[in-house]
Amino acid sequence: MQIERPRRGYAVGIQEFDTIRTKGSVYVDKTEYVWKMVSADAQTYFLSRPRRFGKTLLVSTLQAYFEGRKELFEGLAISQYETEWKQYPVVRINLSRGKYYEFERVHGTIDSLLRDHEEQWGVTSIPDEYNYDARLTAIIRAAYKQTGQKVVILIDEYDAPMLDSVKNPELQDKIRDRIRNLFSPLKAEESYLRFVFLTGISKFSQLSVFSELNNLSILTFNPTFEGICGITQEELETQLRPDVELLAEKMTLSYSKYGEHYDYDSMLALLKKKYDGYHFSSHFTDIYNPWSLIYAFNEGDVGNYWFGTGTPSSLIDLLRTKYLSMPDLENYRCNLEEFDAPTERIEDPVPVLFQSGYLTLKAYDRYTDEYILGFPNEEVYRGFAGSLYKYYCEGYPRGKNTITGAFTRFRLKQYTLDDFLQAVQQFFAAIPYSITDKNQNEQFYQANLYNLLVAAGAHVHAELQTATGRMDISMKMQDAIYILELKYNKSAGKAISQIKENDYAVAFASDPRPVYAVGLNFTSNSHTLDSWTVEKLK
């Protein structure tokens, strides 16, 4: 069957509103949120969202609106409300344009950004090129004087310099002083400003770079603006319905030889499992990752596109400071204030994992006033497992593929459970002694095995709680359930006894599949899985 491509293309990697609109590419209409901001009494806003979540596109949309480019908004929601389309001078500063590993490179980036606007508004008197506040003040006043209109300031990725320099406190102190200097006119020149909007990844209020900016309206956890970036379920099922239907047709053609077929409903379910699950307020509106969704439409397949862009090195470095395991993060409880962590002095990795998009709000416990965090979707869940594998086994890059291949053969019944466990044994035996010697304990082996199973595609849970205890790992296969209990320097038999004594199988009493107890014993002598025992429970 011949598939007719949609008349609009997909703006993969394009973050400029005017380019998307003039090319006729797919654009999910966010202009009603824009109208709510620009028509409100507040004039200074801040929004944090994870990387690749549409912040730059939102900034570009605001720029086009304030420049009065009415033609770009034809047919969009804001065209129903706006009648004047007044033009304002816009100063847009995108700090993600540079890398900030050296102080001179910091100055080079900021200097270039300011010079562009100085040339635009004819600012020539620059006695000190390092005096950023004086330069921005001069730009604001020149724009105001020449147009007779108050100025719009749009600052994208304000925290990029601090995130790049997180490993160098001395450099970060210098950068923080410079950034504070750059942004001081946002308060001092308030009478000349029509609208100020700032975006970033990290939470905001404690950051000393904005210590003077006390007039902010923070949208990060505001329910009214939860869907301002990303794609909601309603938007997917209305504005993007033709694209979902086309993707279903493409994937059916691609995978028909494997007996797979997709219709609209099954494709919606797959996209939800893979890319949905982000929440940014107590309303828990489901938000899809826009980067992955648009890539899937463009490629005609559901893949790991957001995680494929790479985990930031600053986050990997942060993971090395704490002994983290995925079970610790799957139902992590915290107060909302804990997200308010200064970027320049990171001590707790959880706020950064949330801010970066690896964790999201999953539920709220009103009795304890705590939010429960977890992984938003399958793309992040499995990708994060691979990243943690690299963290635990730094210096041992091979091995994960061995486990993935062995698990796939086990799932396809080409391997027995014993065959798979032999592959696990060989995997841990091959890890260099320099890694296992400093990490050896039950948690090390449990965390690694869990991470590897998740990365390999297994359906697993860690620390599943029952009335009598918590099982280390449970793994559900198509035709069986396995309860894995790990011991260290003990015996596989002791692990089996714990499973039976605590009656872990009762958690699966209503499941028709047979349940197997799998006792695993790791030892300090062998540095690997020393023995295992398997027993059918029901």
Side-chain angles (χ1 to χ4, degrees):
M1 180 179 68
Q2 184 74 26
I3 296 179
E4 293 185 8
R5 293 185 175 274
R7 286 176 291 176
R8 298 179 298 170
Y10 302 107
V12 172
I14 299 175
Q15 303 176 75
E16 294 301 316
F17 177 74
D18 58 350
T19 303
I20 292 173
R21 294 293 288 169
T22 54
K23 291 180 67 174
S25 300
V26 169
Y27 171 72
V28 176
D29 190 355
K30 299 291 183 180
T31 60
E32 187 161 351
Y33 294 104
V34 170
W35 177 253
K36 288 177 181 178
M37 280 194 292
V38 301
S39 60
D41 292 334
Q43 70 172 29
T44 305
Y45 293 92
F46 169 77
L47 174 73
S48 65
R49 283 293 185 268
R51 63 190 177 94
R52 305 291 191 186
F53 233 82
K55 299 188 297 296
T56 298
L57 175 57
L58 177 61
V59 168
S60 177
T61 306
L62 284 164
Q63 179 180 2
Y65 167 78
F66 279 112
E67 289 175 344
R69 303 180 66 180
K70 178 181 178 180
E71 72 282 0
L72 295 177
F73 295 87
E74 290 181 6
L76 299 181
I78 200 170
S79 63
Q80 303 174 42
Y81 310 117
E82 182 58 81
T83 57
E84 295 184 1
W85 294 101
K86 204 170 185 179
Q87 295 182 11
Y88 296 90
V90 177
V91 175
R92 180 177 171 186
I93 298 174
N94 185 355
L95 286 171
S96 69
R97 274 178 42 178
K99 293 298 180 182
Y100 303 92
Y101 303 118
E102 300 172 354
F103 185 67
E104 284 307 313
R105 295 187 68 177
V106 175
H107 172 66
T109 298
I110 297 176
D111 179 63
S112 174
L113 291 167
L114 291 176
R115 283 187 186 279
D116 289 344
H117 292 292
E118 287 166 344
E119 291 175 4
Q120 179 183 359
W121 298 107
V123 177
T124 57
S125 177
I126 311 173
D128 181 0
E129 64 181 15
Y130 286 90
N131 196 348
Y132 304 144
D133 63 335
R135 294 175 65 180
L136 183 57
T137 296
I139 291 168
I140 291 170
R141 294 192 178 190
Y144 176 78
K145 183 176 181 180
Q146 292 176 38
T147 64
Q149 298 293 339
K150 290 187 175 183
V151 180
V152 172
I153 305 289
L154 305 174
I155 298 172
D156 201 6
E157 305 290 1
Y158 85 95
D159 51 357
M162 276 74 75
L163 291 173
D164 277 354
S165 59
V166 70
K167 294 186 294 184
N168 188 336
E170 183 178 350
L171 173 61
Q172 199 172 69
D173 287 342
K174 293 181 179 179
I175 290 176
R176 186 176 61 252
D177 290 342
R178 290 296 180 181
I179 296 298
R180 183 194 295 121
N181 177 262
L182 171 65
F183 293 151
S184 60
L186 300 183
K187 178 64 176 177
E189 300 300 306
E190 189 174 7
S191 60
Y192 293 94
L193 299 179
R194 162 65 178 86
F195 186 88
V196 177
F197 186 74
L198 307 100
T199 78
I201 291 175
S202 45
K203 187 65 167 64
F204 186 89
S205 65
Q206 290 182 11
L207 291 178
S208 56
V209 294
F210 291 105
S211 57
E212 299 175 358
L213 205 57
N214 56 6
N215 59 337
L216 277 167
S217 179
I218 300 176
L219 305 181
T220 299
F221 297 114
N222 188 325
T224 302
F225 292 92
E226 189 168 20
I228 195 170
C229 290
I231 296 171
T232 67
Q233 189 71 37
E234 181 183 3
E235 290 165 344
L236 181 65
E237 295 184 28
T238 54
Q239 299 183 49
L240 296 177
R241 180 175 181 126
D243 308 291
V244 176
E245 293 173 341
L246 183 68
L247 180 60
E249 294 177 12
K250 287 181 177 179
M251 286 188 61
T252 296
L253 279 182
S254 298
Y255 296 103
S256 59
K257 60 183 177 181
Y258 302 109
E260 296 185 25
H261 172 78
Y262 297 94
D263 57 17
Y264 174 74
D265 290 333
S266 61
M267 181 52 60
L268 271 183
L270 179 59
L271 292 173
K272 188 174 189 65
K273 177 182 177 182
K274 194 75 174 179
Y275 304 133
D276 191 19
Y278 285 95
H279 307 111
F280 300 103
S281 86
S282 57
H283 285 190
F284 294 98
T285 302
D286 280 345
I287 307 292
Y288 286 74
N289 185 318
W291 178 271
S292 293
L293 204 54
I294 295 301
Y295 252 95
F297 292 148
N298 186 67
E299 298 296 320
D301 200 1
V302 176
N304 297 322
Y305 302 112
W306 182 80
F307 227 97
T309 62
T311 303
S313 59
S314 58
L315 182 56
I316 293 296
D317 292 332
L318 178 63
L319 293 176
R320 290 173 178 159
T321 67
K322 302 284 186 179
Y323 188 83
L324 287 176
S325 65
M326 289 188 69
D328 297 329
L329 300 172
E330 284 194 79
N331 290 287
Y332 189 91
R333 287 176 168 266
C334 61
N335 298 113
L336 201 60
E337 291 75 17
E338 293 180 46
F339 300 132
D340 202 8
T343 300
E344 58 262 53
R345 292 293 181 267
I346 299 172
E347 296 180 357
D348 181 1
V350 172
V352 181
L353 291 171
F354 171 80
Q355 293 159 4
S356 302
Y358 297 91
L359 297 176
T360 192
L361 306 178
K362 302 298 285 188
Y364 173 68
D365 187 334
R366 64 188 182 90
Y367 294 104
T368 62
D369 191 27
E370 291 178 315
Y371 280 90
I372 300 170
L373 303 184
F375 298 100
N377 52 50
E378 187 176 86
E379 180 186 25
V380 176
Y381 178 61
R382 301 205 182 281
F384 192 77
S387 292
L388 278 188
Y389 158 78
K390 296 174 186 177
Y391 158 63
Y392 283 118
C393 296
E394 181 186 14
Y396 182 52
R398 51 195 190 87
K400 182 165 72 72
N401 292 339
T402 302
I403 295 294
T404 301
F407 178 78
T408 300
R409 290 181 177 88
F410 174 47
R411 180 172 56 82
L412 297 175
K413 302 186 185 303
Q414 298 170 0
Y415 268 12
T416 65
L417 179 59
D418 278 342
D419 292 331
F420 174 64
L421 292 177
Q422 285 176 16
V424 171
Q425 184 181 55
Q426 293 166 8
F427 166 79
F428 282 105
I431 297 178
Y433 178 84
S434 58
I435 296 174
T436 56
D437 186 51
K438 63 183 178 181
N439 290 311
Q440 275 200 94
N441 53 48
E442 184 177 319
Q443 186 182 14
F444 170 79
Y445 290 112
Q446 179 190 357
N448 260 299
L449 180 58
Y450 181 84
N451 294 339
L452 288 166
L453 287 171
V454 172
H459 181 59
V460 295
H461 284 93
E463 304 293 341
L464 185 63
Q465 192 162 351
T466 70
T468 54
R470 293 186 299 181
M471 59 190 81
D472 284 343
I473 299 174
S474 63
M475 180 170 68
K476 292 184 177 181
M477 305 291 285
Q478 186 173 359
D479 57 355
I481 297 173
Y482 299 90
I483 300 173
L484 284 65
E485 188 69 29
L486 283 70
K487 294 298 178 187
Y488 181 64
N489 284 337
K490 293 179 181 177
S491 70
K494 192 172 184 65
I496 292 286
S497 296
Q498 180 175 330
I499 294 172
K500 295 168 70 174
E501 289 169 4
N502 290 319
D503 197 17
Y504 288 155
V506 74
F508 310 106
S510 62
D511 197 301
R513 288 171 287 188
V515 178
Y516 293 88
V518 182
L520 308 172
N521 185 54
F522 293 81
T523 69
S524 55
N525 291 330
S526 64
H527 297 275
T528 186
L529 177 60
D530 180 69
S531 61
W532 61 86
T533 301
V534 181
E535 186 173 327
K536 187 175 181 179
L537 300 178
K538 81 173 184 76

